[in-house]
Every structure is written in structure tokens, then in C-alpha cells.
Amino acid sequence: MRKTKFASAVKSLLTAGTLCLGMLAGSQAAQAYEIKTVFKSEHYAVNQAVLGEGENLDGPTQSAITGEIQTQNRLDKLYQSTTVIFPAGSPGYTGKINTPILGVLTIANFNTGKDRIYFNNKARFSSEGGLYISYKQLMDMLNQKTLNELIGELRKLPVVLTNIPVSSTGFDPTTSSFFITSMNKGMLLDMRIDDSVFYDKKTIRTARKGCTVNVLLFIDRMIDEIPYFISGRAALNNLDCSRAPAVKQESK
């Protein structure tokens, strides 16, 4: 499997600019991690935190990173941010989906006055590093006027879209491209599955109607009509077909 498939997509976003948030100093000098904002829109951000040499992602380090990101989110008036934690010596975001990571921190505050903080310490690859949006959350954004304007900002960020119900799949033999489509009355989501850290091509193509998938998505196009059209390139992170109809075996 080719693990550099998304390099061009990531690098095109990276050219928008990288903002260094700085390193803790003084009394916190022992924590030598470096945080950078790699992708940013008006209300969202995706950061990377690269640990310093000999530094571990223990409780104090995790708490320090969380506090620094909370402060930055308030200053920037962000609704949600993701911070991907990389081990010491890592290049951070490079466009490769198999770069090792130590975890993913998500902080959300949609004008509620209280931060909701989630830390996923099971995430192991940069394919799992992006702005986390569930399928239900995306539908809520479409259906609520106050949130609808935020959807366009997702084009500026890598998005980890979760719990997507598969409506149909397709294969283009001229380009060897496999597509997964999710459709309802309000949205048509069409994704070209280019790669995966977790599945080979044969397994990816077992996806079918009734399955549920999680992907790292780079959005190419959006059309603000009914249904709302979204298309992009994706890496498959999870495939669950436990509730999908069984595949019929062809009789010999």
C-alpha cells in the first residue's frame, strides 16, 4: 500500500501557513514539547504537539498541553480544535498517513461556556489525526441555521469523519478508484478511498450498503444545494459491516 497518497493534499493545506504557539518555559522548562497550529479556519484548528527528547506523554505533560490549547482556543474564539501528539524526533504532519502518533486531544466549546475535553490514547497513526466530526454532528450542522455556515470551513482542514453509514459503493476500472457514498434527504457525501493504514485494497472493497466507516477526509468540493453535496479523498480508518446484509455467494 502507498502511504504517501495524501502528501499533496496535506502540503497544499500547509501552504496556508503554520503558526507556532510556542514552548512552555520557566517553571515548566522540563516540558519541552512544541505546539504548532498546522491547519486553521475561523472557528476550527488542527494542531500538532511534538514531544521533546526524553519526554513522555504522562499526566503532567498531557495536562500542560491541554491547558495551553484551551488558552489558545479562547484567544482565537475557536469552537473546536484537535491536537495530534507526536513522539520526540517526529517530523509531525508530513502528508504520510502512517506516521506514528501517541494520541489525539479534542477540545470543543460551541458557546456553552464550558470546554468538552476528549483524549484518544488509542490513536496510533496520523491517519487518525484531523478535526473530529461525527456523521450526526455533520447532519446537525446542516440542519441548524446557526451552525450551517460552519460547514464551508471544513474544506480548510483534514477531517476525521466517524460513523458514516454506507449507502452505496462503486469502482472505476479506468483509474482503479473505489468510492463510498452516503446519502440521505439532506446530504450526499461521495468519497474516493485512496488508501488505508489498517486495511488492504481487497478488504476496503468489501465495503457495501449497510456498513459503517470512519475516514480521514480531505474535502475537494461542496455544493450548497438540497441535498448538500460533499466530495473528497479519504483514507479508511475503520470498517464495520457487522450489521450489513451478508454477501451472497455465487453458485457454481
Side-chain angles (χ1 to χ4, degrees):
M1 292 182 285
R2 297 184 302 275
K3 302 307 177 189
T4 58
K5 193 75 174 182
F6 290 103
S8 60
V10 173
K11 288 177 181 177
S12 65
L13 289 175
L14 284 169
T15 56
T18 299
L19 173 64
C20 180
L21 299 183
M23 299 170 61
L24 293 184
S27 62
Q28 294 178 314
Q31 290 157 338
Y33 60 79
E34 182 179 356
I35 296 177
K36 292 181 181 179
T37 296
V38 187
F39 308 99
K40 192 173 185 297
S41 66
E42 183 177 355
H43 297 99
Y44 299 111
V46 176
N47 312 304
Q48 68 177 34
V50 180
L51 300 187
E53 185 177 353
E55 189 174 29
N56 297 315
L57 188 61
D58 52 18
T61 300
Q62 184 175 322
S63 296
I65 292 173
T66 300
E68 190 170 346
I69 295 300
Q70 284 181 288
T71 299
Q72 191 64 38
N73 284 4
R74 293 189 189 105
L75 289 172
D76 290 343
K77 298 180 180 180
L78 299 182
Y79 288 155
Q80 184 175 328
S81 71
T82 290
T83 302
V84 184
I85 317 296
F86 292 88
S90 173
Y93 274 106
T94 62
K96 296 181 179 180
I97 62 175
N98 65 338
T99 302
I101 66 174
L102 300 176
V104 177
L105 169 68
T106 296
I107 301 177
N109 188 339
F110 287 83
N111 289 328
T112 61
K114 184 178 180 180
D115 289 341
R116 291 180 294 167
I117 301 171
Y118 310 92
F119 191 86
N120 179 7
N121 59 6
K122 295 182 179 179
R124 289 292 175 261
F125 299 101
S126 54
S127 180
E128 300 165 279
L131 189 76
Y132 274 69
I133 302 286
S134 70
Y135 187 81
K136 181 181 182 302
Q137 185 179 354
L138 184 60
M139 290 306 304
D140 288 342
M141 292 170 70
L142 283 168
N143 295 328
Q144 296 182 32
K145 186 176 181 179
T146 55
L147 297 177
N148 190 269
E149 296 177 357
L150 300 176
I151 296 176
E153 294 186 32
L154 301 182
R155 289 191 65 175
K156 299 180 180 180
L157 308 151
V159 178
V160 175
L161 195 56
T162 63
N163 300 317
I164 308 165
V166 178
S167 300
S168 64
T169 61
F171 180 73
D172 182 353
T174 61
T175 59
S176 296
S177 299
F178 183 74
F179 296 86
I180 289 178
T181 301
S182 182
M183 184 177 182
N184 55 48
K185 292 181 180 179
M187 179 178 66
L188 173 61
L189 173 64
D190 193 42
M191 303 171 292
R192 189 183 75 197
I193 308 300
D194 283 342
D195 212 341
S196 176
V197 178
F198 305 98
Y199 304 99
D200 58 24
K201 287 185 178 180
K202 183 178 180 181
T203 304
I204 291 172
R205 292 171 187 175
T206 63
R208 58 193 184 277
K209 182 178 180 179
C211 297
T212 302
V213 297
N214 297 350
V215 301
L216 172 67
L217 177 66
F218 291 91
I219 297 173
D220 293 324
R221 290 185 297 156
M222 289 182 168
I223 301 177
D224 186 5
E225 298 289 346
I226 299 178
Y228 201 108
F229 176 74
I230 300 174
S231 71
R233 295 155 288 164
L236 184 64
N237 287 340
N238 187 68
L239 172 63
D240 181 4
C241 293
S242 59
R243 297 185 180 182
V247 178
K248 294 182 179 180
Q249 299 293 330
E250 294 183 3
S251 57
K252 296 182 180 181

